[in-house]
Amino acid sequence: MTDLRQSFRPTDTLTAMDASETKAITMAASMVTGPLPDATIAQRPDVTAARLAAQQADTATRLQRALRTPSPTIGGGYRHADGQASAIVAVTMPLPLFNRNQGEVIRAQAEQQRVQYEAVVVERAATLEIQQALNAVEINRERVAYIERECLTSARESRDVVLASYRLGAANLIDFLDAQRAFRDTLHTYNQALFEQRVSGASLVAALGLDGSR
């Protein structure tokens, strides 16, 4: 078991997103600007599977309807009688007076309706997930920009001013520690915002069914 009392020092820091991360999220966000296009939703594997199931159910229904009308049977033969040869062609058409495949047609129609409803539910859930992911991306992007613009720079400058004053003897150690603590708190908030921005970006890429490496 790791001894948590041991001292440690971080070796890396969380930085703003690099060009590849920004490009992937920007491309994902551009795909859902305005009304969500059908081509965007169709990229998701769950939507693709649901639509394929609906198509298969429709094909099964049409097949059962076609089976209500039996196919004719064509036969033929050759006959030789009284010195004359003749060819015989016969067409047999069953008449479905009692069995018109009604049960299978009804069953196939019910299954088709169920699968179609499921496809609608999957598509609506996908649309909601994409929209929520996009909203999170926008919120976290604005949050990071606000902290960088309004908080981080100000906290760093305040700490540096107090440090300079402390070195000149114009401020005491408590003043410097307070300024340092305020800067660390702001930096912690900024790092948390960067982390949430990355998570929301990855969630949007995943919600769209995209490859994040593109």
Side-chain angles (χ1 to χ4, degrees), residues 7 27 47 88 98 100 146 203:
S7 61
M27 180 182 68
V47 174
I88 301 174
F98 302 102
R100 292 186 56 82
Y146 175 81
S203 297

Side-chain angles (χ1 to χ4, degrees), residues 16-64:
M17 292 187 298
D18 57 25
S20 61
E21 291 175 307
T22 303
K23 179 181 178 181
I25 296 176
T26 301
M27 180 182 68
S30 66
M31 295 176 61
V32 291
T33 302
L36 197 60
D38 181 77
T40 300
I41 303 176
Q43 294 184 94
R44 289 175 55 108
D46 53 347
V47 174
T48 301
R51 291 183 175 181
L52 179 59
Q55 292 175 0
Q56 292 174 340
D58 178 68
T59 301
T61 300
R62 287 188 283 109
L63 174 61
Q64 294 301 328

Side-chain angles (χ1 to χ4, degrees), residues 155-174:
R156 182 182 290 108
E157 290 176 351
S158 297
R159 182 203 58 180
D160 293 343
V161 168
V162 175
L163 176 59
S165 299
Y166 172 70
R167 288 173 174 172
L168 294 174
N172 56 39
L173 180 60
I174 299 299

Side-chain angles (χ1 to χ4, degrees), residues 40-54 115 118-130 206-210:
T40 300
I41 303 176
Q43 294 184 94
R44 289 175 55 108
D46 53 347
V47 174
T48 301
R51 291 183 175 181
L52 179 59
V115 173
E118 288 183 352
V120 171
V121 171
V122 170
E123 290 182 20
R124 289 180 178 177
T127 301
L128 178 61
E129 182 181 347
I130 293 172
L208 289 168
L210 298 176

Side-chain angles (χ1 to χ4, degrees), residues 9 14 42 62 77 81 89 95 101 104 137 147 168 182 196 202:
R9 184 172 62 181
L14 185 64
R62 287 188 283 109
V89 177
L95 296 179
N101 204 36
E104 290 301 317
V137 165
I147 294 174
L168 294 174
E196 292 176 359

